[in-house]
Amino acid sequence: LLLSINRASCNKHDSGDTFKEKEMSDPMERFAASVFASALAETITLPCDVAKVRLQLQNKNAVGQSAKYSGMIGCMYTTAKTEGVGALFKGLNPALIRQVSYTGISMVLYEPVRDAIIPKNTEATFM
């Protein structure tokens, strides 16, 4: 699967000096690639999101108290130390559902919608 994703996502060199884009025509390949990429990205970035939310909420809860967290790294360290590393991944399931469904639908529908708006033999320009 990864080999086909890699092969499909690479640009194919034309006989001239330009690169010709190779499209991922199979919707299931596009969906699989987007699911893998979005799940990996969400899993990697979720601890930062958890720390961000905790930092935002500490000011609302700490009226007259000293701040529990001193910064992003301090928040992640304190959370992992007091609640365990798993606490940094709280909310992973709904986050994965959101990202996988959004990205999967976007990547599957992008090419058909693009081709419906811009014919294949037309060069798209913004000017």
Side-chain angles (χ1 to χ4, degrees):
L1 176 66
L2 290 177
L3 182 59
S4 66
I5 292 169
N6 187 26
R7 196 176 330 122
S9 65
C10 290
N11 289 336
K12 186 169 93 178
H13 192 267
D14 196 326
S15 61
D17 291 327
T18 61
F19 285 95
K20 185 176 180 181
E21 180 181 333
K22 182 176 187 248
E23 294 182 4
M24 271 185 151
S25 59
D26 182 25
M28 288 308 292
E29 282 184 7
R30 289 194 309 266
F31 182 74
S34 67
V35 165
F36 176 76
S38 62
L40 181 64
E42 187 64 35
T43 303
I44 290 171
T45 60
L46 189 66
C48 292
D49 288 338
V50 169
K52 176 195 69 155
V53 170
R54 287 176 181 237
L55 286 167
Q56 289 172 332
L57 292 176
Q58 81 175 350
N59 290 334
K60 292 180 181 180
N61 295 334
V63 176
Q65 299 173 359
S66 63
K68 183 176 181 180
Y69 307 114
S70 60
M72 182 72 83
I73 302 297
C75 179
M76 291 185 347
Y77 176 77
T78 303
T79 301
K81 186 176 178 182
T82 58
E83 300 175 43
V85 176
L88 294 171
F89 294 93
K90 284 184 178 177
L92 181 61
N93 289 338
L96 286 175
I97 291 169
R98 179 190 67 233
Q99 283 298 337
V100 165
S101 61
Y102 168 76
T103 308
I105 291 169
S106 297
M107 293 301 288
V108 169
L109 293 179
Y110 173 76
E111 285 183 13
V113 170
R114 179 198 62 196
D115 292 343
I117 294 171
I118 303 169
K120 282 190 174 192
N121 296 333
T122 306
E123 186 175 323
T125 60
F126 292 102
M127 296 195 178

